[in-house]
Amino acid sequence: MNDLTEQGVANGDAPRWLVWWVRVLVFLFPVSVATVGWGSAIFFLLLFPALYYGRGWSALQQWERRLLLGYVAVFAVMSLSMVNAEEYREGIKALDRYLRFVLMIPIYLMFRRFDFRLGREFALGALLACVLMMAQAIYQVTWQGDTFATGHYHKIVFGDLAVWWAAVAALFAVTLTKEWLTRIGIVVLIGMALYASLLSQTRGAWLYVPLIPAVLLWAYWPRLQLARSTLIGAVVVFLALTATLVMQSDRLRGGIERGVSELQAFEQNPAAPTSWGVRINLWRNALLIFKESPLLGTGVGDFQTDMKRMVEDGRSLNPYVSKFGHAHSIYFDTLAKGGLLGLVATVTALLLIPFILFVKAMRRAERPEEIFYATGGVLLIVAFTTFGVSEGLWSRNPFVNTYAISLLVFLAGMAKAQSAR
């Protein structure tokens, strides 16, 4: 029985309009988050009915309740950092993003109450996103004459999310599709998404590309003797990824060479206005802030004010850091804003615990649907762990929304698959 049929039976108690409302919104999310900027709108359109239908906390498994309470703890800890804050208005704006992790809870309860397993809608949305992101990238670079493809927001957001949707497409091809023609078509779409990422010149996203086939092979490693076609599909996806990079070798090599030259420029002159030079200075300054406020940090809204002050008093080696409200890394950024307590809480609740839960489920998974949800969760956490090395994900709405919606889809599907066994 396929995913849609299972869902139709399981959603028998849900209002028909709600079933279609949720399906359409989940399908539209990948398509819209980076291209036209509807990510927050879709999140809140899911939240509104969830405030009424999101019930059943006591029916959740213990690990689900603990995980969701972890998101509440993250918000509480980052809110606590406000005791050291000076910029309360900016702090409230920043806390809105952490509040979104708490607001996931009623949506998750709604998904679990009505057994919304939305993996197919989510994956089909990712496939369409691959096409539209490539089209938008070509339009911006070729027709508009822009240096980089930026999508609706920024080249980093666009490049990272293009690779993430390619990962979802690869997962879909390996797990929930059986026809080879369909898989070949999906490989083409994956190439489109990677092409869009290359046009964005977002180097951090490229670090995640080889991890996609690695995670897929990890998921299927115990089943290789019983799933040869799946292994072949994973290899095909990997070859497609490699071929796409090779076809754009000049652009890829140019991006790498530019990064090397930026690091060399930083060594010669730390004040040089290069991308990597500014990042390293931001990380250095974040550590200085941490030394001053080690437990709770400087406050979630104070980072840019602190950067300006450090430039004025000569503690910053680079003056361009004053333009940034985050440290361009979820690790250094959280350490500066929330201190050691904030870093431990966010890394543990948002990355470590979900990763462990998804890995355990991936190892126990047997049916394609179980593998899809569990492995999708692993891919998600690996993606945000990797992207977060050089980008302040929790400071940008598109990343927070993508993390939230993706986690909701994979977590709810995984939980239902486990309880149905």
Side-chain angles (χ1 to χ4, degrees), residues 342-363:
L343 179 66
V344 171
T346 54
V347 170
T348 301
L350 302 183
L351 300 176
L352 183 59
I353 293 178
F355 179 76
I356 293 172
L357 291 172
F358 282 121
V359 168
K360 288 182 177 179
M362 186 178 72
R363 290 174 175 171

Side-chain angles (χ1 to χ4, degrees), residues 2 20 73-74 92 121 164 170 203 205 239 341 345 348:
N2 65 37
W20 286 103
V74 169
I92 292 173
E121 289 86 350
W164 166 238
R203 293 183 294 261
L239 294 176
L341 193 58
T348 301

